Amino acid sequence: MPAYKAPVRDMTFVRNEVFDFHKHWQSLPGCADATPDVMAAVVEAVATFSENVLAPLNRSGDEEGCTWTAQGVRAPAGFRAAYQQYVADGWPGLTGQPEYGGQGFPPSVENIVTEFTGAANWAWDMYSGLTKGARATITAHGTPEQQQAYLPKLVSGEWSATMCLTEAHCGTDLGLLRTRAEPAADGSYHITGTKIFISSGDHDVSGNIVHIVLARLPDSPPGTKGISLFIVPKFMPAADGSAGEANGVSCGSIEHKMGLHGNATCVLNFDKARGFLLGEVNRGLNCMFTFMNVARIGTAMQGVVNAELALQGAVAYARERLQMRALSGPKNPEGPADPIIVHPDVRRMLLTIKAFAEGNRLLIHYLSHEVDITHLSPDAVERERAEQFLALMTPIAKGFCTETGVESASLGVQVFGGHGYVREWGMEQNLRDARISTIYEGTSGIQALDLLGRKVLGTQGKALGLIIGRIRDYCEAHGANRALAEFIRPLRDLADEWEQLTRDIGFKALQDPEEVGAASFDYMMYAGYVSLALMWAMAAETAHRQLQAGSTEKAFYTGKLATARFYYAKLLPRTRSLVTTIKAGAEPLMEIAEDSFMA
């Protein structure tokens, strides 16, 4: 398995050069400590921790997996010690509220930590990953007493958290859930039911696990309008704030799954467990969206991680693997064959992975820029604008980054040929680990329906105008730069096409509502390719500017320009087939009878 090396230089390019986060933070209150020197130290420190502590546990954790016992689930060897070091070093509280012991850095800093620790060992990272969403949910909807009881421990990382939605009979359709919440005399609730597919649902990594659980009160209306949200700790908080007596929640089993073996995905049984209402009665799903939106951007990051791992492994192998001669003549005349990196088809695969890894990294940090505004801007209008933009872009990022992350992981296997299919190289683990990303936190199909049905058509195109407007503004600002014409002209045309395509779908949907579902996945992918085109245009402009200024890092910046050109020439044309399939409508999908599928 190739040794993971954190892409520190590319992270610096994205955050300092393309998006200028330091200037961004100067415009927001509470960011004084996020100086260039401090942030450089943060990047280097988390890179060191990820490379030296977490990465060596990635393969061993996959091979050992988690162990179920009657006393609780045990994580793989080394996971608990690594987590304790993670807590001792202060990483969980980096962006936490100072009033609860956090360091108060801007929320966007979290994405640096998440990418590096996640790429080093995503299964391990998941033990802390959902805690961020729980913190946000308790902060937004919890009472002062709940915040004081749980946030200090969650911010410090002493306690971790889960998100408990799914049940065996209901996946995405949460209106069908059956978990009950019976009111108790002391104002708490008795939670009874079973949840499945709960990531990090039980383990020995942290001192307590705070479950955020959807359940239904006895007199609640049916469907999603009758769901409430509850805090259900594994151990009840004691008077001194520590983890006290055990609550009525246990792990019935751990899932035997395709990948991410180092993380415990659990069936959780709630047997009259004490729970505490979080937010308003029957408004649980609304409150849970606070959690889900954090989790969805986190899952989008997994797409970046899987592509980055594929890129590092495949490039190293392609440089060393000797096979065949280049058609244009030997490139390694002293050896028996040429390294496979000289062959055009191998370069096609490597550049595809690179374009997605680096392009999606740009997209995630572009969105984290907006997350800072929603949390820190004193301007209510700016906060509302950023929230609307994130609402539109989150399903695009989650769906597109994970779909292309899986594609990249698969290409990573392909570059290795037969060697990629065996365990020792690590590429097959990356593909297995990647596969869940398009499923959890809402499948790609659910993200697509949310995007097209709710965020675009549901706002009569108002939300779409936020990204279309940004694309047009960027094209206008750089339209006179001849060096960027190869990017600006097609990007401008795509903005116009995206707008018209949306109108066409909306018109057809008025005649047949099934047209929305028929178009939604292709529409989401189209939106992703266009959004990434904006990211690569920005990267190309930055690289060109640095080269014009006489940078000594010529290879780095010319590589960015070459990758941007590859994306526009070889990947962005996928939008042509997507437009065709969108326009084909619902009929090719719906005309076949159900009993004809197996004929």
Side-chain angles (χ1 to χ4, degrees):
M1 175 177 285
Y4 170 68
K5 185 69 176 176
V8 171
R9 179 63 187 92
D10 202 53
M11 186 68 74
T12 302
F13 173 75
V14 170
R15 295 182 66 89
N16 295 1
E17 300 175 44
V18 179
F19 298 131
D20 196 354
F21 268 85
H22 299 305
K23 180 179 180 181
H24 160 65
W25 288 331
Q26 288 173 359
S27 69
L28 297 171
C31 300
D33 291 338
T35 63
D37 289 346
V38 168
M39 292 316 305
V42 166
V43 170
E44 290 293 339
V46 73
T48 299
F49 174 75
S50 300
E51 293 167 0
N52 298 337
V53 177
L54 299 183
L57 299 173
N58 193 30
R59 180 173 175 180
S60 62
D62 178 67
E63 293 179 342
E64 178 185 348
C66 298
T67 305
W68 184 93
T69 74
Q71 291 72 42
V73 176
R74 294 198 309 268
F79 275 43
R80 177 176 171 80
Y83 187 84
Q84 290 173 334
Q85 181 176 339
Y86 174 75
V87 171
D89 291 347
W91 293 115
L94 192 66
T95 62
Q97 306 99 308
E99 60 267 32
Y100 298 114
Q103 300 172 53
F105 281 98
S108 59
V109 177
E110 196 71 60
N111 282 328
I112 303 171
V113 179
T114 299
E115 182 183 338
F116 287 4
T117 58
N121 194 329
W122 191 266
W124 178 93
D125 187 75
M126 290 174 69
Y127 287 108
S128 64
L130 290 172
T131 305
K132 306 174 186 72
R135 278 167 32 187
T137 306
I138 295 173
T139 298
H141 307 292
T143 65
E145 294 77 16
Q146 290 171 343
Q147 292 167 355
Q148 193 58 50
Y150 294 100
L151 288 178
K153 297 293 187 181
L154 294 174
V155 166
S156 70
E158 295 173 70
W159 295 357
S160 58
T162 73
M163 177 169 57
C164 298
L165 287 73
T166 307
E167 300 177 11
H169 60 282
C170 69
T172 301
D173 191 356
L174 294 172
L176 300 176
L177 71 83
R178 298 171 185 161
T179 298
R180 305 188 310 278
E182 301 280 349
D186 63 358
S188 65
Y189 294 81
H190 294 146
I191 309 298
T192 301
T194 298
K195 299 288 185 178
I196 66 169
F197 301 153
I198 307 305
S199 299
S200 311
D202 194 50
H203 53 81
D204 59 351
V205 169
S206 65
N208 197 4
I209 305 171
V210 180
H211 302 292
I212 307 298
V213 184
L214 287 177
R216 191 182 300 280
L217 292 168
D219 57 351
S220 294
T224 57
K225 293 182 179 179
I227 298 174
S228 299
L229 190 61
F230 300 87
I231 300 173
V232 185
K234 178 180 179 179
F235 299 104
M236 298 300 300
D240 63 358
S242 64
E245 64 181 14
N247 202 358
V249 54
S250 61
C251 176
S253 64
I254 52 178
E255 307 289 357
H256 302 283
K257 52 190 178 173
M258 180 177 179
L260 294 175
H261 296 155
N263 188 266
T265 303
C266 298
V267 174
L268 290 183
N269 296 321
F270 296 85
D271 184 10
K272 294 186 178 179
R274 288 190 70 194
F276 305 89
L277 182 68
L278 182 55
E280 299 178 26
V281 169
N282 297 335
R283 297 282 294 172
L285 200 54
N286 301 76
C287 296
M288 187 58 101
F289 268 110
T290 301
F291 201 141
M292 291 170 68
N293 285 334
V294 174
R296 283 173 175 174
I297 292 181
T299 305
M301 180 65 83
Q302 187 178 354
V304 178
V305 162
N306 295 133
E308 178 65 31
L309 291 174
L311 180 65
Q312 292 193 19
V315 168
Y317 183 81
R319 284 174 170 166
E320 296 177 359
R321 175 68 168 173
L322 302 181
Q323 196 159 327
M324 302 189 301
R325 289 295 188 188
L327 296 178
S328 57
K331 308 302 179 188
N332 178 36
E334 303 302 317
D338 291 331
I340 63 173
I341 199 169
V342 307
H343 303 312
D345 189 59
V346 173
R347 287 183 166 239
R348 171 189 64 82
M349 292 186 283
L350 294 177
L351 277 164
T352 298
I353 301 169
K354 180 177 172 66
F356 286 141
E358 296 176 4
N360 287 340
R361 178 178 294 120
L362 284 158
L363 181 60
I364 294 295
H365 290 280
Y366 183 65
L367 297 187
S368 72
H369 185 283
E370 301 300 305
V371 172
D372 283 347
I373 294 173
T374 66
H375 283 75
L376 300 174
S377 176
D379 187 329
V381 174
E382 281 295 297
R383 291 198 305 274
E384 176 65 20
R385 179 202 56 76
E387 287 169 0
Q388 291 176 353
F389 185 74
L390 284 170
L392 173 77
M393 295 300 297
T394 294
I396 297 174
K398 195 281 179 183
F400 183 82
C401 291
T402 57
E403 289 287 342
T404 54
V406 171
E407 178 183 348
S408 298
S410 181
L411 288 173
V413 171
Q414 191 74 14
V415 170
F416 280 74
H419 291 287
Y421 200 64
V422 297
R423 175 163 292 189
E424 66 185 277
W425 294 96
M427 292 295 98
E428 62 86 33
Q429 181 187 338
N430 186 41
L431 180 55
R432 286 188 289 106
D433 289 349
R435 193 59 190 86
I436 187 61
S437 66
T438 63
I439 298 172
Y440 60 19
E441 309 310 335
T443 63
S444 297
I446 293 300
Q447 304 301 322
L449 280 172
D450 179 43
L451 171 66
L452 181 56
R454 294 181 64 236
K455 305 298 172 54
V456 176
L457 299 180
T459 64
Q460 288 77 50
K462 180 181 178 181
L464 179 62
L466 296 173
I467 181 63
I468 296 292
R470 291 192 183 197
I471 293 173
R472 286 175 173 154
D473 288 347
Y474 188 83
C475 292
E476 179 67 25
H478 298 280
N481 188 339
R482 293 183 179 180
L484 299 178
E486 61 186 306
F487 308 112
I488 298 302
R489 288 173 183 169
L491 186 57
R492 184 188 294 119
D493 292 342
L494 284 164
D496 294 340
E497 181 182 62
W498 191 356
E499 201 169 50
Q500 183 59 51
L501 189 63
T502 304
R503 282 196 292 264
D504 293 343
I505 296 170
F507 179 77
K508 291 174 73 174
L510 292 175
Q511 315 302 316
D512 180 4
E514 298 288 5
E515 291 290 341
V516 177
S520 60
F521 179 81
D522 292 340
Y523 183 90
M524 178 190 72
M525 295 303 292
Y526 176 94
Y529 283 112
V530 178
S531 299
L532 225 63
L534 174 61
M535 297 300 102
W536 273 114
M538 290 179 171
E541 186 275 326
T542 303
H544 180 264
R545 179 164 26 92
Q546 296 286 25
L547 289 169
Q548 289 294 103
S551 172
T552 58
E553 295 183 278
K554 187 175 180 180
F556 179 83
Y557 293 115
T558 55
K560 286 294 180 186
L561 284 169
T563 308
R565 291 186 180 112
F566 169 84
Y567 180 81
Y568 269 73
K570 292 289 191 177
L571 297 179
L572 190 56
R574 293 181 182 184
T575 55
R576 301 305 90 219
S577 62
L578 291 168
V579 169
T580 300
T581 55
I582 289 169
K583 289 183 176 180
E587 185 176 356
L589 299 173
M590 308 307 292
E591 69 172 339
I592 186 171
E594 292 180 16
D595 58 3
S596 296
F597 275 97
M598 297 300 293

